[in-house]
Amino acid sequence: ETTSLNEKVGTFEKLVTLDPELLKKYSKVYFLNEHYEPSALIEIDQAYVSDPARTLEFHAQAYPYLAQMIESAHSDDVDLVVASAYRSFKTQATLKANNTVVYGAGTANRFSADQGYSEHQLGTTIDFITTGLNGNLTTNFDTTDSYIWLTNNAHRYGFILSYPKGNAYYIYEPWHWRFVGIKLAKYFLLPDVI
C-alpha cells in the first residue's frame, strides 16, 4: 500500500510540474485566461453523472481518483453523483451572466465566479449532488449521508472542500470539491500531523 501511495503522490507531483496552475486559489485571487484548458480532459462515466444526457469532463490524470472515490462511496451505499465538472472560460462567462440576470449582480457575486476565476476551469473540481435533494445545489447537502461520507473520506482520494463555512471567497458550498492530491488533501485535514 505504501508503494501505491508513493506512486500516486509521484503522479500528482508530475501533474503539477506539467501544469503549475492546478494548485493556485482562483476564487477572486488568481486569474486563468480565456486560453487556459487542462492538459487533458476525459469524459466522466455516465453512471457517475446526475444527468446522463449531459457530457461532463474531468482532468484525465486526476480522473482515476474521482472514479475510485465515487465507487467507494457507492460500495458504502452512499448516493454520490456529479452535477458539474470542467467548465471552459466561455461556459463560465455564460453561467455568470445568467446568474447575474436572475439574481442580480450583488447576489450572483456571492456564489458565482467570474470567468477566469472559477476552479471548474482547471478540470479538477466537481459539484456533487444526491438524488434526495432533487438534483439541486443547496447548503442542505451538508445534511446528507453523501456530505458526511465526503468529509470523512474525500481526502483519501485527494479531494478537499473548496468553500467551507466562513471562507473568504464565496458562500458556503458543501457540494464543491476540488482535487489537490492525496498529500495536500491530508495536510488540509490534519496540518500538524503531515
Side-chain angles (χ1 to χ4, degrees):
E1 175 137 354
T2 303
T3 303
S4 176
L5 178 60
N6 288 337
E7 288 172 4
K8 289 177 182 177
V9 170
T11 299
F12 189 71
E13 287 171 352
K14 289 176 195 171
L15 176 61
V16 171
T17 301
L18 293 174
D19 192 350
E21 303 295 323
L22 287 178
L23 292 181
K24 292 180 182 174
K25 188 67 175 173
Y26 290 92
S27 305
K28 301 181 182 181
V29 179
Y30 290 104
F31 179 76
L32 284 164
N33 73 47
E34 68 272 15
H35 302 293
Y36 178 84
E37 288 185 15
S39 55
L41 291 167
I42 189 170
E43 186 176 333
I44 297 173
D45 187 311
Q46 291 299 307
Y48 305 151
V49 176
S50 63
D51 180 358
R54 292 182 61 206
T55 298
L56 299 180
E57 296 176 304
F58 197 70
H59 202 293
Q61 290 179 298
Y63 181 73
Y65 299 91
L66 174 65
Q68 188 178 33
M69 181 170 72
I70 292 172
E71 285 296 323
S72 182
H74 291 174
S75 293
D76 290 339
D77 293 324
V78 172
D79 178 34
L80 190 63
V81 290
V82 178
S84 183
Y86 168 71
R87 289 188 211 131
S88 69
F89 187 94
K90 183 179 177 181
T91 300
Q92 188 65 31
T94 301
L95 179 65
K96 179 61 182 253
N98 290 342
N99 285 334
T100 300
V101 168
V102 172
Y103 300 102
T107 301
N109 286 337
R110 291 181 54 230
F111 69 87
S112 184
D114 287 327
Q115 62 275 13
Y117 292 97
S118 173
E119 291 182 343
H120 286 280
Q121 190 177 345
L122 295 168
T124 55
T125 302
I126 293 289
D127 289 341
F128 287 111
I129 60 170
T130 182
T131 53
L133 297 174
N134 299 319
N136 295 321
L137 297 177
T138 169
T139 54
N140 288 340
F141 182 72
D142 70 3
T143 64
T144 67
D145 290 340
S146 303
Y147 176 78
I148 294 166
W149 190 93
L150 283 165
T151 58
N152 291 327
N153 296 284
H155 66 280
R156 295 183 177 126
Y157 304 93
F159 285 82
I160 61 168
L161 178 64
S162 287
Y163 305 116
K165 288 181 180 176
N167 77 85
Y169 304 104
Y170 295 107
I171 63 168
Y172 170 49
E173 294 187 357
W175 60 82
H176 186 101
W177 295 77
R178 178 178 175 187
F179 179 79
V180 296
I182 294 171
K183 186 175 182 180
L184 191 55
K186 286 184 177 179
Y187 172 79
F188 280 121
L189 183 68
L190 303 166
D192 298 331
V193 176
I194 305 291

